[in-house]
Amino acid sequence: MSTHFMADTAVLTGRSMRHIFRSADTIITTAVTPIALMLLFVFVFGGALRQSIGSESYVNYLLPGILLIAIASGIAYTAFRLFTDMQGGVFERFHSMPIARSSVLWAHVLTSLVANGITLAIIFAVGFLMGFRTGAGPLEWLGVIGILGLFTLALTWLAVIAGLSAKTVDGASAFSYPLIFLPFISSAFVPTDTMPGPVRWFAENQPVTSIVNTIQALFAGEPVGGEIWVALAWCVGILVVAYAFAMRAYRRRIG
């Protein structure tokens, strides 16, 4: 990346982050639903669900899935902000200036990473208040942060596609609904071996399960085995495909 591109991206990212901090309700709203789900499942359903997971701490089991739900919710705002900029003519004004064209897009991507990172920090804090405990060391924590960051980046580029391609503001964020629903059909809430055949097959062969299993193992200080490679393959695969389609949609929009 050239110095020119990096400087332009930094300036535009600062602009987007100012919008985020001026309307902090965006981050709060993104965090509220996952936190409400965590409270519901831990304090209402947790007593019954502990038997299926074979653990006394359901919040330890549940937290990784809640984090993924928060990310899936957060990227909807990226698509919304991108769509708003496109419709408001902001992109055209930026492109009339002597700046790197791709920096406009990357600013939204970096803003998504920072905003989602803040949301996840809030959820972690609530999780610790609810009794979440981990024996993970620095390397395990780096592994968790890396996987969550990669997952956020991959879904953000999906959000970019939606933001560039949507015809309405509702359409720009509606794509995230299936992503929010995916953790419910995975190992995020109960082990997959408690599910009926077809549902179990789907749960065990979709990306969220391998990511959740990897994060759970890292937090527990247990060997991650081959799950981590499956999780990374899903994240990188989604990222590469989404980035390619997003850049294609971007070039088509800017001519």
Side-chain angles (χ1 to χ4, degrees), residues 54-131:
S55 172
E56 288 299 316
S57 178
Y58 187 59
V59 67
N60 281 11
Y61 183 91
L62 181 69
L63 185 60
I66 295 296
L67 297 173
L68 299 192
I69 289 174
I71 293 170
S73 301
I75 57 151
Y77 286 95
T78 301
F80 170 77
R81 289 190 294 268
L82 186 56
F83 177 84
T84 302
D85 276 359
M86 293 292 293
Q87 295 301 308
V90 175
F91 270 39
E92 286 75 8
R93 288 197 292 273
F94 283 145
H95 290 156
S96 67
M97 302 175 183
I99 63 174
R101 286 195 167 192
S102 58
S103 63
V104 181
L105 207 58
W106 273 101
H108 281 278
V109 172
L110 294 178
T111 299
S112 173
L113 289 173
V114 175
N116 277 288
I118 295 171
T119 299
L120 296 184
I122 294 171
I123 294 173
F124 266 120
V126 175
F128 277 110
L129 290 174
M130 292 174 60

